[in-house]
RNA sequence: GGCGUGGUGCCCAAGUGGUCUAAGGGAGUGGUCUGCAAAACCAUUAUUCACCGGUUCGAAUCCGGUCCACGCCUCCA
């Protein structure tokens, strides 16, 4: 079954044709570890997780690289402000980042190269660019990439450099570069860098931001690879610069498919570090939301569409996931003997097909979730009819497990909550009252239990107590 | 100024030339069940897809124009 992606390079939905059959190599722009990542960052990481899981669902072997930017203006600035060594400072946020990924059930990438551990590769790449005449050393000692030497510059962002207004806030006089748009490959050391410096053929200094992605993707994925992902705002200039560096140095196509994820908004406003209106995962965990609930919210909007994040949506996610949980509990309780009826097999297969087609069609999550909800509804209906066999219930649960390899939001083996003895006693007293048709007492006890956080549910064949 | 995205029911949202009198979720309403609830299920809520014009046997889907909202061009996923 073919898989399709919307390729930003051509602004079209295209069939995915990997360089090597059955394998997908992807590179993802990772975090700059100078602070805790916020929920908007995680929107992107969850999109990339969905992408790799969708590829795997369709049988691809995935090799993903995600870089960690642990040296740049911000990490240097903030580590100095904190009075810490750079590596000690970034270590804290690296660890926090991996912990957050775990909470959100983001599958780990195959490689997480850190910029500071690949200085040698970056210098090597800059050497090639210098050798081929694409880069030059300016009077300030920095090495710049000369955009004028790379005519294809702007092909991803569809920017024609001739027509660009010189940025309103750029003071051209401050720069030693030949052209304002030229970007730094290597930054010569200055006092603000403190003790952060590496030796290079061009004097001591540190790499520019863009060069790390080109150098590290080349090392782990090759000169040309299948998929490059990132946030829409990284498209220009960062990804454009990556293309320029890599294609100038290697003389071949850098990436075949570019996938960009839209922004996350909070209550209708753009969220960003500079605006300061952001939630970290910690903030939301403190409010009592689980990783699965947040994952459900971040997963639910198609990646190319702006996602409006609200706490209301998180509350809703809890209720929705509870609906599934209730179904799983019901299915696990089925004991009827018997085979799996043909119609059940057909029903399950139909929903599986819808799900697979949807997730393979540029990650159409809405349609994929529709399939999941359709299975929920049909399963409930079958359960209610009372004819469901244990084998059928297991087949349905197996299908949810299959969906869960992509979604990873369900607990497929939920357990009934432990009910404290005093709560149980009250519930039993209520049943007694109901039996005697003393509904006033029964309802009073039900209200009292509700105040204590427990809910009594009467079923045709009994009753149960569950937490609110 | 340049580049780009989007406007689908009360809300979120899929669908991008015929099976669309438009999927799915939320909310509402009616019903089955229940002592009453809850849960679950059933029914119901867009002859219509921002607006105007065009192409076509046929358009939410293509083309042109208008209006509105938003993003990037500057560190940011």
């Amino acid at each position: 079954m073919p898989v399709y992606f919307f390729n930003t390079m051509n602004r079209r939905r295209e069939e995915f044709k990997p360089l090597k059959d059955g394998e997908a190599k992807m590179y993802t722009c990772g975090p700059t570890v100078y602070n805790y990542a916020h929920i908007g960052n995680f929107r992107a990481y969850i999109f990339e997780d969905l992408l790799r899981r969708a590829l795997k669902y369709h049988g691809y072997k995935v090799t993903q690289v995600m870089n960690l930017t642990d040296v740049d203006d911000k990490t240097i600035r903030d580590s100095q402000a904190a009075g810490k060594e750079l590596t000690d400072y970034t270590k804290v946020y690296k660890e926090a980042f991996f912990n957050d990924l775990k909470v959100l059930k983001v599958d780990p990438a195959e490689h997480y190269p850190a910029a500071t551990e690949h200085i040698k590769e970056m210098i090597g790449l800059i050497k090639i660019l210098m050798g081929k005449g694409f880069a030059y050393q300016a009077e300030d000692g920095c090495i710049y990439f000369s955009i004028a030497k790379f005519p294809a510059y702007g092909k991803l962002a569809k920017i024609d450099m001739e027509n660009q207004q010189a940025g309103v806030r750029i003071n051209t006089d401050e720069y030693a570069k030949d052209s304002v748009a030229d970007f730094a490959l290597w930054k010569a050391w200055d006092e603000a860098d403190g003790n952060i410096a590496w030796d290079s053929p061009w004097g001591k200094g540190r790499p520019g931001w863009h060069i790390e992605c080109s150098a590290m993707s080349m090392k782990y994925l090759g000169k040309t690879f299948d998929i490059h992902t990132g946030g829409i705002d990284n498209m220009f200039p960062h990804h454009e610069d990556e293309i320029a560096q890599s294609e100038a140095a290697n003389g071949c196509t850098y990436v075949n498919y570019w996938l960009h994820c839209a922004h996350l908004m909070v209550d209708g406003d753009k969220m960003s570090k500079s605006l300061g209106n952001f939630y970290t995962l910690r903030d939301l965990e403190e409010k009592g939301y689980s990783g699965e609930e947040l994952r459900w919210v971040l997963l639910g909007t198609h990646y190319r569409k702006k996602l409006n994040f609200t706490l209301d949506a998180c509350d809703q996610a809890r209720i929705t996931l509870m609906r599934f949980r209730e179904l799983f509990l019901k299915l696990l309780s089925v004991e009827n003997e018997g085979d799996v009826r043909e119609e059940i097999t057909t029903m399950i297969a139909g929903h599986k097909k819808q799900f697979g087609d949807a997730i393979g069609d540029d990650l159409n999550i809405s349609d994929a979730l529709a399939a999941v909800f359709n299975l929920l509804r049909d399963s409930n209906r079958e359960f209610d009819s009372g004819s469901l066999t244990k084998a059928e219930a297991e087949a349905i649960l197996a299908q949810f497990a299959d969906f869960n390899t992509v979604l990873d939001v369900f607990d497929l083996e939920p357990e009934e909550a432990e009910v404290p003895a005093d709560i149980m006693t009250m519930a039993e007293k209520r049943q007694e009252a109901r039996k005697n048709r003393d509904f006033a007492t029964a309802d009073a006890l039900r209200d009292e239990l509700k105040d204590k956080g427990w809910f009594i549910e009467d079923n045709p064949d009994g009753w149960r107590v569950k937490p609110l």
Side-chain angles (χ1 to χ4, degrees):
Chain A
M1 198 186 333
V3 171
Y4 299 88
F5 296 126
F6 184 89
N7 188 353
T8 312
M9 184 58 88
N10 301 319
R11 311 288 156 109
R12 268 203 313 267
R13 176 178 168 280
E14 297 175 348
E15 184 176 341
F16 176 58
K17 291 189 174 135
L19 290 166
K20 195 169 167 198
D21 267 357
E23 287 191 30
K25 291 188 191 292
M26 58 188 274
Y27 186 89
T28 299
C29 289
T32 300
V33 282
Y34 72 113
N35 209 326
Y36 295 111
H38 60 64
I39 198 74
N41 300 126
F42 290 117
R43 197 262 165 116
Y45 301 137
I46 285 184
F47 143 61
E48 285 138 4
D49 180 56
L50 183 65
L51 173 60
R52 57 175 284 136
R53 287 171 183 261
L55 284 163
K56 283 188 167 184
Y57 192 79
H58 282 273
Y60 288 93
K61 175 175 180 285
V62 175
T63 306
Q64 182 188 7
V65 177
M66 182 186 275
N67 68 301
L68 301 169
T69 300
D70 57 356
V71 54
D72 77 325
D73 294 349
K74 288 172 294 195
T75 44
I76 292 172
R77 178 195 66 203
D78 291 359
S79 64
Q80 286 173 347
K84 285 186 175 176
E85 287 297 318
L86 183 65
T87 46
D88 294 337
Y89 183 78
T90 56
K91 188 168 171 256
V92 174
Y93 299 108
K94 278 184 196 174
E95 281 170 11
F97 174 70
F98 287 116
N99 184 58
D100 289 354
L101 292 187
K102 217 175 269 174
V103 170
L104 290 170
K105 306 282 196 77
V106 173
D107 268 353
E110 282 63 29
H111 304 279
Y112 286 103
T116 50
E117 285 161 22
H118 294 79
I119 304 290
K120 194 181 72 192
E121 286 81 355
M122 296 186 225
I123 289 174
L125 186 54
I126 298 170
K127 271 187 192 163
I128 296 174
L129 290 168
M130 286 293 273
K132 290 192 173 183
F134 286 104
Y136 60 93
Q137 185 161 31
E139 280 175 20
D140 58 7
C142 300
I143 307 292
Y144 293 100
F145 184 93
S146 175
I147 283 169
K149 300 271 172 58
F150 189 75
Y153 192 83
K155 67 178 176 176
L156 176 67
K158 309 282 179 255
I159 284 173
D160 179 356
M161 293 317 286
E162 304 276 304
N163 283 340
Q164 285 305 292
Q165 231 182 17
V168 193
R169 278 181 269 165
I170 293 174
N171 178 352
T172 346
D173 299 338
E174 275 181 26
Y175 290 88
K177 306 187 271 193
D178 289 357
S179 159
V180 215
D182 288 354
F183 56 92
L185 298 170
W186 185 260
K187 294 191 172 188
W189 180 88
D190 70 26
E191 276 173 37
D193 291 343
N195 63 347
I196 305 303
W198 287 266
D199 286 323
S200 82
W202 319 284
K204 70 174 181 172
R206 60 184 169 94
W209 175 44
H210 310 296
I211 195 72
E212 67 176 89
C213 289
S214 287
M216 300 194 291
S217 64
M218 198 187 302
K219 174 171 177 179
Y220 294 97
L221 300 174
K223 291 177 178 175
T224 301
F225 56 93
D226 299 303
I227 302 170
H228 195 310
T229 65
I232 187 86
D233 49 354
N234 265 165
M235 185 167 91
F236 191 88
H238 185 237
H239 293 161
E240 199 66 61
D241 291 350
E242 281 184 50
I243 292 171
Q245 294 160 347
S246 299
E247 299 192 352
N250 298 327
C252 59
T253 301
Y254 179 41
V255 167
N256 287 137
Y257 300 86
W258 287 88
L259 274 67
H260 290 96
C261 163
H263 273 281
L264 172 140
M265 323 271 284
V266 174
D267 297 323
D269 282 321
K270 183 189 167 184
M271 166 157 131
S272 71
K273 289 185 182 177
S274 49
L275 290 177
N277 62 342
F278 64 90
Y279 293 114
T280 63
L281 188 58
R282 273 157 195 77
D283 297 335
L284 293 163
E285 284 185 294
E286 272 169 28
K287 289 180 191 294
Y289 297 110
S290 70
E292 287 82 357
E293 287 159 0
L294 297 170
R295 183 175 166 89
W296 177 269
V297 172
L298 297 175
L299 211 53
T301 297
H302 184 79
Y303 75 93
R304 282 191 288 114
K305 191 151 183 155
K306 281 193 286 286
L307 186 160
N308 190 24
F309 183 84
T310 61
L311 294 181
D312 203 47
C314 300
D315 294 334
Q316 188 54 51
R318 171 164 304 172
I319 294 167
T320 302
L321 291 176
M322 200 63 83
R323 279 184 71 193
F324 285 96
R325 188 191 142 82
E326 293 287 309
L327 171 67
F328 301 152
L329 282 168
K330 287 198 273 185
L331 291 174
L332 288 166
S333 73
V334 173
E335 296 292 350
N336 298 340
E337 300 281 325
D339 295 334
V340 179
R341 283 164 291 164
E342 180 80 39
E343 65 210 75
I344 298 292
T345 307
T346 309
M347 180 273 282
I348 293 172
H351 297 137
K352 179 182 166 68
K353 171 146 188 3
Q354 183 188 353
F355 181 88
D357 287 351
I359 212 68
D361 183 9
D362 196 32
L363 309 181
N364 188 337
I365 191 68
S366 301
D367 197 19
L369 290 181
V372 178
F373 278 108
N374 287 336
L375 179 61
L376 172 78
R377 184 200 55 226
D378 287 348
S379 304
N380 268 130
R381 198 179 345 197
E382 291 298 331
F383 179 86
D384 288 354
S385 77
S387 52
L388 206 60
T389 66
K390 188 175 169 65
E392 288 167 344
E394 282 169 356
I396 290 168
L397 282 166
Q399 187 48 55
F400 277 107
D402 175 64
F403 292 156
N404 214 32
T405 61
V406 176
L407 303 175
D408 210 353
V409 287
F410 299 131
D411 175 6
L412 288 149
E413 292 175 343
E415 287 177 13
E416 287 281 10
E418 284 281 325
V419 183
D422 58 320
I423 298 294
M424 215 51 200
T425 310
M426 282 176 69
E428 278 158 8
K429 270 166 79 179
R430 172 179 172 274
Q431 290 312 311
E432 201 53 38
R434 272 189 80 208
K435 222 172 171 180
N436 300 329
R437 306 194 67 78
D438 178 4
F439 297 122
T441 306
D443 290 351
L445 280 163
R446 185 164 63 190
D447 288 344
E448 209 177 314
L449 280 165
K450 204 172 175 183
D451 288 341
K452 289 178 187 288
W454 295 83
F455 188 84
I456 295 194
E457 194 177 280
D458 300 321
N459 297 311
D461 52 344
W463 55 277
R464 58 187 274 244
V465 187
K466 61 178 186 181
L468 277 176

